[in-house]
Amino acid sequence: MAATRRLLPRWAVSLRPVSAAAAAAGAFPKRVKLVEVGPRDGLQNEKNVVPTPVKINLINMLSETGLQVIEATSFVSPKWVPQMADHTEVMQGINKMPGISYPVLTPNLKGFQAAVAAGAKEVSIFGAASELFTKKNINCSIEESLERFDEVMTAARAASIPVRGYVSCVLGCPYEGKISAAKVAEVSKKMYSMGCYEISLGDTIGIGTPGSMKEMLTAVMKEVPVGALAVHCHDTYGQALANILVALQMGVSVVDASVAGLGGCPYAQGASGNVATEDLVYMLNGLGIHTGVDLQKLMDTGTFICNALNRRTNSKVSQASCRL
């Protein structure tokens, strides 16, 4: 597949990935970009519909923390993910701060067109390294999903809109079990070649370990530059921070996280929330890695959304600080 020109978001220009030599030596990046996925991935699995004003307030509070990227919502059919039915209202209701990107998920051309009409300036497409998961998640095969992505990529290039790519089930699938690192590398390469500026590798059911993370990244990094990779770790087995640490040592400098550890997946039974953004920032602060995020404001935001959902935070840092 021929290489395609990639459109980079504004924040990406200032990011300098770890060199290959430094990554080989296990050096940590000096700064890490956090992609906050709480408003979308964190809330999509909630059983009770979260009121639109709560979602808008959550995003506005996150915008005050220093985060550069906040995934706002998903332009999917309400039939598949009812929690995201208010995507247009959310996108048009939030205060879009200068210097912050508010990407949205778009499963197909129809979703992309609706997102752009609602004011989206960046979108994400999502596939998986598992055939069965892809069928459950977006109701098609991996190959069919790539064809849908091609339609979105063509429209995005015409509109000068950057596209991020998600690959789910990179360390295991609830339906197929173990996923080969070669399959993850194959799907990642195809999505990168189509023009995605960044590929987020998702441990959707949180089953990975530092060993399987290293094996998978080693394979993917042969096909996609490490500077174009991100990791997205769920904490089902309590391995998320350990897995992220391995990714950082291997040169990855972009990490997805969810405030208060919210999240799950409608199509991955048993998957718990994402790694808590608070816990990730605490770890990165301890490593001397710059994120630009105010931990106290982040914890306050976690308190807000947990009170709104009437639940306890999944953030160990917030629990230890007795904020909930």
Side-chain angles (χ1 to χ4, degrees):
M1 189 178 293
T4 306
R5 184 171 64 92
R6 281 164 202 84
L7 294 168
L8 292 176
R10 287 168 298 175
W11 49 258
V13 179
S14 62
L15 276 180
R16 294 189 177 185
V18 175
S19 68
F28 290 114
K30 288 185 169 58
R31 59 185 296 132
V32 164
K33 182 193 78 176
L34 302 184
V35 177
E36 173 57 54
V37 300
R40 195 278 305 174
D41 197 24
L43 296 181
Q44 70 176 4
N45 207 37
E46 288 295 314
K47 293 178 181 177
N48 298 319
V49 174
V50 180
T52 303
V54 170
K55 295 178 183 178
I56 291 172
N57 286 341
L58 171 62
I59 295 170
N60 288 344
M61 290 182 73
L62 288 168
S63 295
E64 298 288 344
T65 65
L67 287 160
Q68 288 181 288
V69 185
I70 303 167
E71 192 176 57
T73 186
S74 179
F75 281 77
V76 296
S77 168
K79 173 186 173 183
W80 294 105
V81 187
Q83 193 64 256
M84 299 287 110
D86 59 353
H87 41 231
T88 297
E89 291 83 356
V90 169
M91 277 305 289
Q92 295 181 344
I94 59 176
N95 297 326
K96 297 183 180 71
M97 303 277 284
I100 300 178
S101 179
Y102 300 91
V104 300
L105 243 63
T106 55
N108 49 39
L109 184 59
K110 182 179 179 181
F112 173 82
Q113 292 169 337
V116 173
K121 302 298 182 185
E122 180 183 336
V123 302
S124 299
I125 56 177
F126 55 98
S130 158
E131 286 288 356
L132 286 178
F133 186 85
T134 304
K135 183 67 176 176
K136 292 274 188 179
N137 199 19
I138 51 178
N139 198 33
C140 65
S141 68
I142 291 177
E143 206 55 47
E144 287 170 337
S145 73
L146 293 174
E147 292 174 8
R148 291 184 189 178
F149 299 158
D150 196 43
E151 289 183 325
V152 174
M153 297 304 301
T154 300
R157 278 192 293 273
S160 298
I161 290 180
V163 181
R164 189 183 202 232
Y166 281 97
V167 181
S168 300
C169 298
V170 299
L171 298 179
C173 170
Y175 311 109
E176 293 185 20
K178 182 174 172 58
I179 300 295
S180 74
K183 186 64 176 178
V184 179
E186 176 191 341
V187 175
S188 300
K189 179 182 180 180
K190 286 180 178 178
M191 293 180 74
Y192 184 69
S193 297
M194 292 174 79
C196 292
Y197 74 86
E198 187 170 273
I199 305 296
S200 177
L201 302 165
D203 182 13
T204 310
I205 56 175
I207 202 170
T209 64
S212 58
M213 173 64 81
K214 183 176 182 180
E215 178 189 11
M216 182 273 296
L217 281 177
T218 299
V220 175
M221 286 165 58
K222 292 175 182 177
E223 305 293 347
V224 180
V226 67
L229 296 177
V231 290
H232 180 116
C233 298
H234 287 242
D235 203 32
T236 314
Y237 285 77
Q239 301 292 294
L241 286 177
N243 291 341
I244 290 167
L245 195 64
V246 166
L248 295 175
Q249 289 174 322
M250 294 181 72
V252 175
S253 60
V254 182
V255 182
D256 299 357
S258 177
V259 65
L262 297 174
C265 179
Y267 305 100
Q269 189 173 5
S272 69
N274 295 276
V275 65
T277 316
E278 300 94 319
D279 298 356
L280 178 58
V281 169
Y282 181 83
M283 182 182 80
L284 295 174
N285 285 349
L287 290 168
I289 298 174
H290 179 74
T291 64
V293 177
D294 186 315
L295 181 55
Q296 186 60 60
K297 289 183 178 179
L298 192 61
M299 290 167 64
D300 291 342
T301 305
T303 299
F304 161 76
I305 191 59
C306 286
N307 284 339
L309 298 176
N310 193 28
R311 66 164 55 184
R312 191 166 186 252
T313 181
N314 288 322
S315 163
K316 293 291 193 295
V317 171
S318 290
Q319 289 176 14
S321 301
C322 299
R323 298 194 61 80
L324 283 178

